[in-house]
Amino acid sequence: AQKVTQAQTEISVVEKEDVTLDCVYETRDTTYYLFWYKQPPSGELVFLIRRNSFDEQNEISGRYSWNFQKSTSSFNFTITASQVVDSAVYFCALSDLVDDKIIFGKGTRLHILP
Amino acid sequence: DTGVSQDPRHKITKRGQNVTFRCDPISEHNRLYWYRQTLGQGPEFLTYFQNEAQLEKSRLLSDRFSAERPKGSFSTLEIQRTEQGDSAMYLCASSPMEGAVGYTFGSGTRLTVV
């Protein structure tokens, strides 16, 4: 069965600090996709990244970076120089290539304090 | 293209009443998904359509739930004889193809059963 675990329920950091959100996944598939979504207080799910299981290169997009380690089944997300607008719930997620249903973790609520 | 639209945004209903939600996907997307998100949890998959065919239903989708996608365009999700446990955010998503490429979520319908 597929499963995504986000062990950090809630994190608070002071603005401009770096913060890493952890994600560990379980799947028997050899090919799969990993995602991160942001859910601000407005409730909409905002897509951040989709990563194919064959591509283990780390990715950087502005202040965001992602570390994919297949050996440890982890897909961690780091925000550098955090800002108050980064405050949201962040979900890590997993899908297979057959039906595309996305399995979400329970989310990490991130508070960036001014 | 305005993205995935869901209507209504909010619905308050009395226990035992029937409710229906609508989702309009991005026009060229042939896959449409329904998810449910309860407080403090990540979204959970309910069902999905490939064009007008409903291809999979989660065991979360009890007999009181029914979803349709006539003509492969918009979709409706109906809940009969609502219960307080049905209170949640109901999210719709669409994608144009396999591989969760371009998977886009709507803003959701928040249901409160009183």
Side-chain angles (χ1 to χ4, degrees), chain B residues 14-53:
Chain B
K14 291 183 178 179
R15 189 173 51 188
Q17 298 292 307
N18 300 342
V19 293
T20 300
F21 312 139
R22 177 180 170 123
C23 171
D24 286 272
I26 293 173
S27 57
E28 63 269 22
H29 286 189
N30 56 21
R31 290 195 167 196
L32 186 148
Y33 307 80
W34 284 99
Y35 288 79
R36 181 175 71 186
Q37 185 178 17
T38 53
L39 205 59
Q41 302 294 317
E44 296 172 293
F45 169 81
L46 291 178
T47 187
Y48 90 101
F49 293 84
Q50 170 100 7
N51 299 314
E52 67 273 12

Side-chain angles (χ1 to χ4, degrees), chain B residues 50-76:
Chain B
Q50 170 100 7
N51 299 314
E52 67 273 12
Q54 188 173 15
L55 296 186
E56 185 172 346
K57 292 194 290 186
S58 161
R59 62 178 182 275
L60 292 175
L61 216 64
S62 75
D63 291 344
R64 297 184 296 105
F65 288 69
S66 62
E68 294 183 343
R69 192 183 182 196
K71 302 178 183 177
S73 55
F74 71 91
S75 176
T76 57

Side-chain angles (χ1 to χ4, degrees), chain A residues 7-20:
Chain A
Q8 303 151 310
T9 305
E10 202 158 344
I11 300 175
S12 295
V13 300
V14 176
E15 197 174 17
K16 298 184 184 176
E17 287 185 355
D18 299 346
V19 58
T20 295

